[in-house]
Amino acid sequence: MRVAFWRGKGSAQRPLRLSLARLAGLAALAVLLGLVGCAAKVSPPPAPPPPPPPAELRDILTLPQDVAAYFDPASLDRPLLSSKEQRRFAARLRELHFAPWHRSAPAHARADALWGLAALKPGRHYGENLRPLEPTFRARMEALAQSEGYPNLMRPAIATANTSLRVLPTHRPGFLKPDKPGEGYPFDYWQNSALLAGTPLLATHMSADGAWVLVEGRVAAGWVPVRDIAFVDEAFMAQWEGLPLGAVIREGAPVSARFADEATPAPHLFTGRIGMLLPLLELGPGGVTLLAPAREATGQAVSLAVGLAADEARPLPLPLTPRAYSGLVAQLMGQPYGWGGFLENRDCSALLLDLYAPFGIFLPRNSRQQSRQGERIPLDGLSPEAKEALLLERGRPLLTLVHKPGHIMLYLGQRNGRAVILHDLWGLRTRSHKGEEGRFVVGRVAVTGLTPGAEIPDVVRSGLLLPSFDAYTQVVPEADTARK
Amino acid sequence: MRVAFWRGKGSAQRPLRLSLARLAGLAALAVLLGLVGCAAKVSPPPAPPPPPPPAELRDILTLPQDVAAYFDPASLDRPLLSSKEQRRFAARLRELHFAPWHRSAPAHARADALWGLAALKPGRHYGENLRPLEPTFRARMEALAQSEGYPNLMRPAIATANTSLRVLPTHRPGFLKPDKPGEGYPFDYWQNSALLAGTPLLATHMSADGAWVLVEGRVAAGWVPVRDIAFVDEAFMAQWEGLPLGAVIREGAPVSARFADEATPAPHLFTGRIGMLLPLLELGPGGVTLLAPAREATGQAVSLAVGLAADEARPLPLPLTPRAYSGLVAQLMGQPYGWGGFLENRDCSALLLDLYAPFGIFLPRNSRQQSRQGERIPLDGLSPEAKEALLLERGRPLLTLVHKPGHIMLYLGQRNGRAVILHDLWGLRTRSHKGEEGRFVVGRVAVTGLTPGAEIPDVVRSGLLLPSFDAYTQVVPEADTARK
């Protein structure tokens, strides 16, 4: 049972009680200060409570949420990188993409691969019922993970579904105390990363029940349900590595198998996502034929031909123009924030990782790694004003990352002399007039200035972004560009 | 980015501010009552805040959480039903289990099958980022559901994974306002029901992108990812219906395929759950061989032989003894509450549905339907004391359901003259000393008396269970038992 009421008496009474307390407080203060005579029984009316915070960031309401708006229309189709630079980037992305198939040992030592077990402290994590995890949980995870045998599998594999890399072999969540500000749903600390269908994997280790496999992919490792992957053989790998790659550029494009037997209806395999890479079998006038993986009942992978239209997939790398980048961002604008790829959404670093992939540019998984992935410009000792001036001066639109600890953003250009960024932002720290800490939740992909929320009284000044910026990163080192 | 601090200043300050307000309030009250002279600047110390509510229900701490403890040890192996009664029940369960394969028209008319679209009111539902769903969400769901063509599929199918029946073709949640007491995670209103692997289905309708299928199963209907089901042909259905059924009795037993080719390692298919029914191919001394379904890359089902030990699966129906029932309950005791089968957990009605299935007894999906599934004893006009007395008098342990609107419980027997029940309970309504409504979350399967939480000061008296009981249900009508 759950007991739910649309409007509880308790909450209706709250404002009244607060007003009484404030009234009483004013009167008492007067007594304590000795300012009021005994006859003074009437206090001034209490100050009205402050208005509720706005529902939306001013930046989102006033800045165009369209990346193309920050470019001169005449420059929209001008490539930001030479085709030689793009080919060089794409070769590296491709190598890293297939690298898990060429590994003879795990990339992660046991303690690294199974760090989730060590993080499981009694009473620290809360489950889906918002209560501390039951005492037997840790033992169950340890039995499933059978860490003493790591690695017990070492087989090349491939993701056959869009799925999640988990810190532990379970779908159950690990929240910190759910009533702490900024904790609880959706911050499941056992959600590590999204894993896109078609990603080459090294399956290093299997759970005791055979239901979960620990895998290593291009950007991350973690536990995945065995039914979301399939094992590949030499012939499969040879076919995939013998072809160029194509990039999905339409978020949500259905990927369906074409069978030679026309009588069999094309079954849906998985949903295309920006950032997904698949071998390119054929490039036609109306679109492309790609290879997609599917899992047979035996657990082996088969390779199936799938057709996608020209606006759904293209050969890798797509020329990096403002128009092309803007077209990808437009599809993700407003998409809910997804910690660790929760529900196939993206967090701040996954957004950039996936946006760069179709252009052949590799980014690593998390914000700190990304900020060290090109030429890093540290901001030590700079005032907020100096940081913004430096960004306006040296930032290259779509090619400069902006970092603060735990958050990564993309420089878009300027508007009325102020810098503008694209990012996927959870929230800004607030303190209410009652002193309660909370979050102003943005919770999605948005275009903002460098201090979104500065206009909101509850947003804590120290929680604003710009003062914490610690580095800019030129994805393409300036030296390289000068060399061309 | 997410901004998270382990200990915010705001929350640390809160208790202090409250104490000041209370202090001030007392002083002001004294002034208003004219009881304090002008010189009185010292107020009595404020009353200490009430102690925090206990972390656990007294009933859970004091009542044995073991069903067998409520039975005379000598009676533990005595069947509660005759084998004839059990066969009659099991025949009905079997017929209902396979019924979706014999339906030539959907069981649900369009408006019923697609009610989720009509329930989607602007501003009513919140997404995974705790913000109102984006305005485009409804249009996207309508385009996917393509309701004008319902039913566009009408193919027999089978669940090949433990999955969820969803109200809309999406994994995204639909919360009511997340800061309302008892709302937000985990109460996703688009989570309808768990669907166990091996359940025969009628797939009535497919989403526009081919990724989701609307299916009808034994107890519920809803949208399911197409990759979690497979289509069956005449031969498949004939094989399955030509065999007796077996029941999984071990929660979490891995179900793995045996291939004729011994070189192929047995791949994990899905996890066994209490309540799961599969065709029984062979009954041996050490266990059973069952048939399990698996999905081929084409979307067609194949039938695979799987072996389970004698303590993992048995022929249906298992003789209904207190020991057997108790053995099943023990595996689920403390399991987190799962609204609509969220994360493969159970809600109040799913618990009973799954516990009865191995004994061959069919229960429908929700608590109201369950309370009308046998002989219903209405409780109109009875006092709480009279209700308990009637339960102690007419209740049959393990065979009498207890109902209040929105909640179903199972009568276990008595302890010290008081009735004891088994149930899966989310929470009890509370009001704090500050007047704030909340929930005392139990959030799991437990054994309690009829008024759990009565000892907790914050629990609202009107939120206690017993006063709201409105019916008892004899699962086996008394007339039938008398007839035997």
Side-chain angles (χ1 to χ4, degrees), chain A residues 82-269:
Chain A
S82 70
S83 57
K84 189 179 154 195
E85 276 172 324
Q86 283 207 251
R87 280 198 306 274
R88 186 169 53 84
F89 271 111
R92 177 155 181 261
L93 174 63
R94 184 190 167 88
E95 190 187 326
L96 292 166
H97 188 65
F98 288 113
W101 285 351
H102 300 282
R103 223 168 267 162
S104 58
H108 302 282
R110 182 189 300 174
D112 262 12
L114 298 160
W115 67 268
L117 294 174
L120 253 180
K121 301 264 186 298
R124 186 172 177 210
H125 289 101
Y126 287 67
E128 64 270 41
N129 59 359
L130 313 182
R131 292 179 58 99
L133 283 166
E134 55 274 19
T136 54
F137 182 81
R138 185 184 169 132
R140 219 157 56 236
M141 288 299 112
E142 282 177 342
L144 279 179
Q146 46 184 359
S147 59
E148 67 294 337
Y150 175 87
N152 66 13
L153 193 60
M154 295 300 290
R155 291 180 67 185
I158 193 158
T160 52
N162 294 325
T163 184
S164 292
L165 293 171
R166 304 280 300 167
V167 173
L168 293 169
T170 180
H171 287 297
R172 296 187 58 193
F175 299 123
L176 295 185
K177 206 165 187 314
D179 54 7
K180 278 194 184 176
E183 296 300 347
Y185 183 90
F187 292 101
D188 170 10
Y189 289 94
W190 298 335
Q191 176 71 20
N192 185 17
S193 191
L195 178 64
L196 295 180
T199 305
L201 302 170
L202 175 62
T204 57
H205 191 65
M206 190 170 267
S207 66
D209 64 354
W212 293 84
V213 187
L214 198 53
V215 299
E216 299 177 349
R218 182 173 91 227
V219 293
W223 290 99
V224 69
V226 71
R227 76 184 195 95
D228 293 345
I229 70 158
F231 297 107
V232 297
D233 56 21
E234 291 295 333
F236 186 104
M237 291 188 282
Q239 184 189 23
W240 277 50
E241 297 206 67
L243 291 168
L245 281 172
V248 174
I249 58 169
R250 173 65 51 190
E251 182 81 353
V255 176
S256 304
R258 289 179 184 166
F259 282 98
D261 161 18
E262 289 294 328
T264 307
H268 179 273
L269 296 176

Side-chain angles (χ1 to χ4, degrees), chain A residues 1-11 13-14 17 21 23-25 27-29 31-34 36-38 40-42 55-56 124 127-131 134 155 160-163 171-173 175-176 180-183 185-187 189 209-211 226-228 252 254 256-257 259 264-265 267-269 271 294-299 302 304 334-337 339 342-345 348 404-407 424-429 431 433-437 439-444 463 465, chain B residues 1-11 13-14 17 21 23-25 27-29 31-34 36-38 40-43 55-56 124 127-131 134 155 160-163 171-173 175-176 180-183 185-187 189 209-211 226-228 252 254 256-257 259 264-265 267-269 271 294-299 302 304 334 336-337 339 342-345 348 404-407 424-429 431 433-437 439-444 463 465:
Chain A
M1 175 194 66
R2 48 184 310 254
V3 188
F5 293 81
W6 280 81
R7 186 170 278 283
K9 275 185 185 173
S11 47
Q13 280 176 5
R14 218 182 326 163
R17 294 177 66 122
L23 183 68
L29 194 66
V31 169
L32 290 170
L33 294 174
V36 184
C38 291
K41 287 176 183 167
V42 178
E56 192 56 277
R124 186 172 177 210
E128 64 270 41
N129 59 359
L130 313 182
R131 292 179 58 99
E134 55 274 19
R155 291 180 67 185
T160 52
N162 294 325
T163 184
H171 287 297
R172 296 187 58 193
F175 299 123
L176 295 185
K180 278 194 184 176
E183 296 300 347
Y185 183 90
F187 292 101
Y189 289 94
D209 64 354
V226 71
R227 76 184 195 95
D228 293 345
S256 304
F259 282 98
T264 307
H268 179 273
L269 296 176
T271 297
R295 178 185 165 85
E296 291 289 8
T298 56
V302 288
L304 300 171
Q335 189 185 67
Y337 178 96
W339 168 257
F342 180 58
L343 289 174
E344 300 187 30
N345 294 318
C348 63
K404 75 184 269 311
H407 192 44
D424 202 338
L425 176 72
W426 176 250
L428 299 160
R429 197 153 66 103
R431 191 165 308 137
H433 68 286
K434 287 186 279 179
E436 285 166 355
E437 194 189 331
R439 295 290 180 276
F440 181 89
V441 175
V442 181
R444 63 200 196 282
L465 304 184
Chain B
M1 179 194 64
R2 49 185 310 252
V3 188
F5 294 80
W6 280 81
R7 186 170 280 281
K9 276 185 184 172
S11 47
Q13 282 176 3
R14 216 182 327 164
R17 294 177 67 118
L23 182 68
L29 192 66
V31 169
L32 290 169
L33 293 173
V36 183
C38 293
K41 287 178 183 161
V42 178
S43 309
E56 194 55 278
R124 187 173 178 208
E128 63 272 39
N129 59 358
L130 312 182
R131 292 180 57 99
E134 56 274 20
R155 291 179 67 185
T160 52
N162 295 325
T163 184
H171 287 298
R172 296 187 58 193
F175 299 124
L176 296 185
K180 280 194 183 177
E183 297 298 346
Y185 183 89
F187 292 101
Y189 288 94
D209 65 355
V226 70
R227 77 185 193 94
D228 292 345
S256 304
F259 283 97
T264 308
H268 179 272
L269 296 177
T271 298
R295 178 185 165 88
E296 291 289 8
T298 56
V302 287
L304 301 171
Y337 178 96
W339 168 257
F342 181 57
L343 289 174
E344 300 187 28
N345 293 318
C348 62
K404 75 183 272 306
H407 193 42
D424 202 339
L425 176 72
W426 176 250
L428 299 161
R429 195 153 67 104
R431 190 165 311 137
H433 69 285
K434 288 186 278 177
E436 284 167 357
E437 192 187 331
R439 295 290 180 277
F440 181 89
V441 174
V442 181
R444 62 200 197 280
L465 304 184

